[in-house]
């Protein structure tokens, strides 16, 4: 199996996609660190208290004006209370430090960027072989088909993990020279539990930033493993790289748009994309649909991944390979 | 031991029977030609032989191992190119060979050995994307030879090669069969190629095997002499008197085909000359596979 994984990894690297992914992450993180640096230099974070108060006031105004749908106002009220909480404790939730950027990366990139990059990286791990005709050689070796597919799945998972870690590492490397590099033990407030309209202040936990980041990255990793599994299924179903990567990107972006524009269509909570921003929900952002607890999201992603893997293996081990 | 045996292979897709009850056997040291026009079911049969397609009925045994029940053991005995020699174009020749030898768990020295075999050692570190079709064909054979298989299956191995390349591959395959006792299965739609390369040939048409036998037999059964003369009518009378079976030529032509061996020709020529018939030439004529093919398939075109 190690031989097979080595083969798959080499092929993935030789296609130079991973290089592109790292380059994209680097460019994005450079832009982020530059903008944060400017923010720091302009001293905008000197008057963060006023800003927070202003934001809360703005939300209040909009709520008072009404005329917005129920779930919008619900999330707005929750966000207001979250900001008020930070304000009361005298903590600036947005003071940029390098560790904070690293921590934020899990949320910001985990929601769409990393799933997209992983799709570009691996959503054609099977279909490319089909399109290039190399599957004929791959499948006429004394190796069972399920082993070949398993090696591809494990390689995909491995590169999903490496991409996440590279992103995290890059976000520190790029921001550390220009922002305060310390502050790994800064207090973070998480676990804002939303029960309907209620904000449970007692369920808020105070964690040092590094521990909090570890949890966020862990959740994001889990989500990316699920993305990789679904990408595998699409690459088995489709016969060309473009079709499988395209479908994967379309379902990620389309699903995300869908959950944003029609939060009243409650069946949408069973789409895997609704559960994808695990780190966001952990931080306290309200999921788009009612009843999406952390346990629900984790189970949902697990079920999607398991079904995708199961179907992929059944199709792959049974299909006739024509030209 | 039989190197490869196909028994009653059948593939039905929808209501179309693509391969219909195809059976044959290959012995070690034999080059077997699988001849048929495009779309006759050659590639589908090959894909069933190597386990890419599951047969609707029938079975395949390689070196005594059933391909479905003992896939890994069966595939250890086989090297193949199905359709085009599609290798990873973004990798070098060496990386390609390493890739496949890793799947077989082979030593690195094996790569040098197979590359030498096909004279590719000098270009091994260049990307396959830069190779000519002939070089890719040779790299394809090199990867098929990894792990010293007992059976080699090649689908249209001379596709896209120039005459020199075709000759080179032909000689290589013959050498592998005679020197190493490999059983070589070659599919082709080129009659001349099969005639030159193969010991035995099976002709497939519309999914069925129409004929199967040694190339020599198929040809020697159809030996004849061609006489070109100035007076066909009188010549035919001479042939009739000597008891030889003669086929009158098409109108306007002066060549008569006579079913005799070459050794029996001089007395016939002497008789013709005695009768005052002018003989322009007398030469042995072997019915080519092409002619035979047209005969057995009912004259459908072969490209």
């Amino acid at each position: 199996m190690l031989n097979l994984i080595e083969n798959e990894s080499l092929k993935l690297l030789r296609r130079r996609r991973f290089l592109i992914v790292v380059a994209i992450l680097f460019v994005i993180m450079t832009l982020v660190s530059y903008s944060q640096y400017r923010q720091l230099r302009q001293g905008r974070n000197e008057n963060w208290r006023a800003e927070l108060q202003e934001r809360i006031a703005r939300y209040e105004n909009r709520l008072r004006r009404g005329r917005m749908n129920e779930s919008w106002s619900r999330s707005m009220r929750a966000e207001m209370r979250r900001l008020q909480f930070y304000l009361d404790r005298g903590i600036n939730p947005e003071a940029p430090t390098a560790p904070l950027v690293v921590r934020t990366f899990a949320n910001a990139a985990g929601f769409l960027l990393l799933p997209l990059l992983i799709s570009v990286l691996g959503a054609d791990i099977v279909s490319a072989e089909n399109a290039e005709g190399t599957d004929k050689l791959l499948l006429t070796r004394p190796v069972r088909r399920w082993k070949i597919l398993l090696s591809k799945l494990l390689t995909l998972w491995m590169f999903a993990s490496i991409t996440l870690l590279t992103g995290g590492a890059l976000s520190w490397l790029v921001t550390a020279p220009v922002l305060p590099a310390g502050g790994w033990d800064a207090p973070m407030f998480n676990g804002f539990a939303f029960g309907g309209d209620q904000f449970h202040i007692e369920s808020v936990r105070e964690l040092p930033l590094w521990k909090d980041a570890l949890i966020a990255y862990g959740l994001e990793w889990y989500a990316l493993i699920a993305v990789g599994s679904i990408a595998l299924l699409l690459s088995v179903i489709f016969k060309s790289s473009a079709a499988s990567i395209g479908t994967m990107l379309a379902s990620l972006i389309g699903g995300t748009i869908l959950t944003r524009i029609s939060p009243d269509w409650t069946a949408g909570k069973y789409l895997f994309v609704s559960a994808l921003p695990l780190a966001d929900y952990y931080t306290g952002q309200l999921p788009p649909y009612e009843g999406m607890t952390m346990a629900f999201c984790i189970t949902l992603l697990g079920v999607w991944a398991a079904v995708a893997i199961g179907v992929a293996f059944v199709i792959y081990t049974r299909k006739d390979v024509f030209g | 031991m039989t190197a490869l045996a196909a028994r009653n292979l059948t593939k039905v897709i929808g209501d179309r029977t693509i391969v219909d009850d195809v059976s044959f056997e290959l012995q070690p040291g034999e080059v077997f030609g699988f001849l048929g026009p495009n779309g006759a079911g050659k590639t589908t049969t090959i894909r069933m032989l190597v386990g890419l397609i599951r047969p609707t009925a029938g079975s395949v045994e390689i070196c005594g191992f059933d391909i479905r029940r003992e896939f890994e053991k069966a595939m250890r005995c086989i090297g193949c190119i199905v359709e085009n020699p599609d290798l990873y174009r973004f990798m070098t020749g060496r990386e390609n060979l390493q890739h496949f030898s890793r799947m077989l768990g082979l030593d690195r020295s094996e790569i040098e050995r197979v590359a030498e075999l096909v004279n590719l050692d000098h270009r091994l570190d260049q990307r396959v994307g830069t190779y000519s079709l002939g070089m890719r064909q040779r790299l394809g054979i090199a990867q098929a030879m990894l792990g010293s298989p007992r059976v080699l299956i090649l689908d249209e191995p001379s596709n896209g090669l120039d005459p020199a390349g075709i000759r080179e591959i032909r000689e290589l395959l013959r050498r592998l069969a005679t020197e190493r006792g490999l059983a070589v299965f070659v599919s082709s739609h080129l009659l001349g190629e099969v005639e030159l390369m193969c010991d035995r040939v099976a002709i497939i048409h519309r999914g069925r095997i129409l004929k199967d036998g040694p190339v020599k037999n198929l040809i020697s059964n159809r030996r004849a002499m061609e006489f070109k003369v100035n007076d066909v009518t009188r010549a035919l009378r001479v042939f009739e008197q000597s008891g030889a079976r003669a086929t009158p030529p098409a109108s306007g032509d002066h060549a008569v085909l006579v079913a005799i061996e070459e050794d029996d020709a001089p007395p016939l020529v002497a008789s013709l000359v005695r009768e005052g018939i002018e003989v322009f030439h007398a030469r042995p004529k072997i019915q080519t596979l092409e002619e035979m093919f047209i005969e057995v398939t009912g004259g459908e075109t072969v490209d």
Side-chain angles (χ1 to χ4, degrees):
Chain A
M1 184 49 74
L2 279 178
N3 282 348
L4 296 180
I5 293 175
E6 187 183 350
N7 272 348
E8 294 306 324
S9 307
L10 276 175
K11 282 186 273 186
L12 224 150
L13 287 173
R14 282 287 178 279
R15 284 186 205 273
R16 294 175 197 273
R17 296 256 181 77
F18 187 63
L19 216 65
I20 295 171
V21 164
V22 172
I24 291 172
L25 282 174
F26 180 78
V27 169
I28 290 174
M29 289 323 298
T30 309
L31 287 173
V32 168
S33 92
Y34 176 69
S35 69
Q36 296 282 299
Y37 174 66
R38 274 186 57 121
Q39 191 181 327
L40 189 73
R41 283 290 296 272
Q42 287 171 350
R44 275 186 57 193
N45 54 347
E46 292 298 315
N47 42 13
W48 61 270
R49 277 169 209 277
E51 263 174 40
L52 270 190
Q53 272 158 351
E54 195 187 309
R55 265 170 74 185
I56 293 168
R58 216 180 319 141
Y59 284 140
E60 249 165 15
N61 275 334
R62 279 166 73 178
L63 278 172
R64 209 173 296 130
R65 263 184 269 129
R67 285 204 321 257
M68 62 175 76
N69 86 32
E70 171 56 23
S71 50
W72 263 95
S73 63
R74 191 158 51 88
S75 72
M76 203 169 278
R77 246 174 272 138
E79 175 70 4
M80 264 172 58
R81 277 190 293 260
R82 193 177 72 91
L83 294 178
Q84 188 64 49
F85 181 86
Y86 279 113
L87 198 58
D88 294 347
R89 293 277 184 106
I91 298 162
N92 178 3
E94 277 146 47
T97 64
L100 203 58
V101 173
V102 174
R103 167 66 186 83
T104 316
F105 175 79
N107 285 23
F111 140 70
L112 201 54
L113 178 66
L114 283 178
L116 287 182
L117 290 182
I118 281 154
S119 307
V120 169
L121 201 63
D124 66 342
I125 194 160
V126 176
S127 53
E129 303 246 11
N130 190 304
E132 290 162 13
T134 47
D135 54 348
K136 293 174 303 200
L137 292 178
L138 197 67
L139 297 179
T140 53
R141 297 288 157 184
V143 180
R144 291 238 165 228
R145 287 193 191 180
W146 67 264
K147 283 189 187 165
I148 289 176
L149 193 63
L150 183 62
S151 72
K152 284 182 180 293
L153 177 65
L154 292 178
T155 306
L156 245 174
W157 282 356
M158 192 171 82
F159 273 85
S161 316
I162 294 174
T163 307
L164 178 65
L165 288 178
T166 308
L170 267 178
S171 61
W172 194 81
L173 286 175
V174 169
T175 49
V178 291
L179 296 178
W184 284 104
D185 51 355
M188 297 294 286
F189 295 95
N190 277 309
F192 292 84
F194 295 92
D197 218 14
Q198 285 300 306
F199 174 62
H200 300 292
I201 208 152
E202 62 274 17
S203 67
V204 172
R205 282 172 323 229
E206 185 179 333
L207 286 177
L209 197 148
W210 64 268
K211 213 173 198 172
D212 179 59
L214 227 53
I215 294 172
Y217 273 82
L219 288 169
E220 216 35 66
W221 176 78
Y222 180 79
L224 292 180
I225 291 295
V227 170
S229 312
I230 293 163
L232 182 83
L233 173 63
L234 290 180
S235 81
V236 167
I237 292 175
F238 289 101
K239 291 196 168 183
S240 78
S241 302
S244 55
I245 294 182
T247 309
M248 188 69 202
L249 296 190
S251 55
L252 281 170
I253 296 171
T256 305
I257 293 173
L258 197 69
T259 58
R260 306 274 140 144
I261 60 166
S262 54
D264 298 321
W265 180 59
T266 49
K269 75 174 171 184
Y270 297 108
L271 295 174
F272 78 94
V273 270
S274 335
L276 224 43
L278 282 180
D280 273 349
Y281 305 156
Y282 163 69
T283 313
Q285 205 201 62
L286 203 62
Y289 302 102
E290 197 120 11
M292 293 186 70
T293 60
M294 189 53 89
F296 173 87
C297 290
I298 287 176
T299 313
L300 184 74
L301 286 178
V303 169
W304 269 87
V307 170
I309 292 170
V311 175
F313 271 83
V314 168
I315 295 177
Y316 195 68
T317 51
R318 293 187 181 197
K319 74 170 173 182
D320 283 345
V321 181
F322 288 100
Chain B
M1 187 175 64
T2 305
L4 184 149
R7 300 210 177 89
N8 312 104
L9 279 182
T10 302
K11 182 67 184 179
V12 179
I13 297 173
D15 55 357
R16 251 163 43 90
T17 305
I18 295 172
V19 174
D20 190 3
D21 199 27
V22 163
S23 300
F24 53 81
E25 285 192 352
L26 257 81
Q27 304 305 326
E30 172 178 59
V31 181
F32 180 84
F34 200 51
L35 186 64
N38 291 333
K42 295 192 300 280
T43 298
T44 308
T45 305
I46 290 180
R47 282 173 186 260
M48 286 194 280
L49 293 181
V50 298
L52 288 174
I53 293 180
R54 192 189 294 251
T56 310
S59 64
V60 176
E61 244 177 50
I62 298 167
C63 297
F65 300 114
D66 183 274
I67 197 163
R68 297 228 72 86
R69 285 198 304 270
E70 294 171 290
F71 180 78
E72 279 155 323
K73 281 182 186 158
M75 296 319 281
R76 279 232 173 258
C77 303
I78 209 170
C80 66
I81 303 178
V82 181
E83 272 179 302
N84 309 309
D86 291 315
L87 290 128
Y88 299 103
R89 284 165 174 267
F90 51 89
M91 299 203 289
T92 67
R94 188 185 304 281
E95 285 169 333
N96 268 285
L97 293 177
Q98 281 168 349
H99 176 273
F100 292 111
S101 64
R102 250 182 241 118
M103 292 186 81
L104 292 158
L106 297 176
D107 200 70
R108 291 215 159 203
S109 61
E110 182 80 356
I111 290 167
E112 309 300 327
R113 189 185 69 81
V114 294
E116 237 165 78
L117 196 68
V118 296
N119 289 324
L120 209 67
D121 20 354
H122 59 295
R123 288 287 299 272
L124 218 47
D125 288 309
Q126 280 162 318
R127 275 181 48 238
V128 174
T130 67
Y131 283 18
S132 66
L133 185 53
M135 289 172 63
R136 277 192 281 131
Q137 195 71 258
R138 284 190 297 182
L139 184 62
I141 292 177
Q143 68 77 30
M145 285 302 294
L146 281 171
S148 311
R150 311 296 311 146
V151 184
L152 208 54
I153 293 183
L154 305 174
D155 197 357
E156 308 267 358
S158 56
N159 245 5
L161 295 185
D162 55 20
I166 292 177
R167 193 194 159 114
E168 199 180 328
I169 291 219
R170 191 167 68 217
E171 279 165 6
L172 173 68
L173 293 183
R174 285 250 48 118
R175 211 172 69 220
L176 290 174
T178 43
E179 287 174 14
R180 304 186 186 207
L182 244 73
V184 183
F185 177 105
V186 177
S187 84
S188 181
H189 64 275
L190 299 171
L191 301 146
E193 176 178 278
V194 169
E195 202 170 338
L196 285 170
M197 196 181 339
C198 302
D199 304 307
R200 211 148 57 79
V201 61
I203 296 175
I204 183 170
H205 183 59
R206 291 192 174 147
R208 284 169 170 274
I209 289 191
L210 297 176
K211 248 184 174 43
D212 180 358
V215 173
K216 277 186 200 124
N217 282 6
L218 289 177
I219 292 168
S220 64
N221 283 344
R222 294 148 192 281
R223 225 173 258 286
M225 289 293 290
E226 182 190 78
F227 291 84
K228 189 167 182 191
V229 293
N230 64 340
D231 189 333
V232 173
T233 328
R234 277 170 61 207
L236 282 172
R237 211 173 300 134
V238 173
F239 294 136
E240 205 180 322
Q241 280 162 7
S242 65
R245 190 164 50 82
T247 317
S251 59
D253 198 355
H254 292 273
V256 185
L257 272 181
V258 187
I260 52 166
E261 290 291 320
E262 199 171 4
D263 292 347
D264 301 326
L268 262 185
V269 176
S271 318
L272 287 170
V273 173
R274 259 198 315 275
E275 292 291 318
I277 302 165
E278 289 173 33
V279 179
F280 298 102
H281 73 231
R283 64 180 181 196
K285 183 129 169 94
I286 296 170
Q287 188 195 30
T288 60
L289 271 171
E290 183 139 27
E291 284 157 329
M292 186 182 73
F293 193 82
I294 288 167
E295 195 184 303
V296 293
T297 61
E300 252 165 86
T301 49
V302 181
D303 60 31

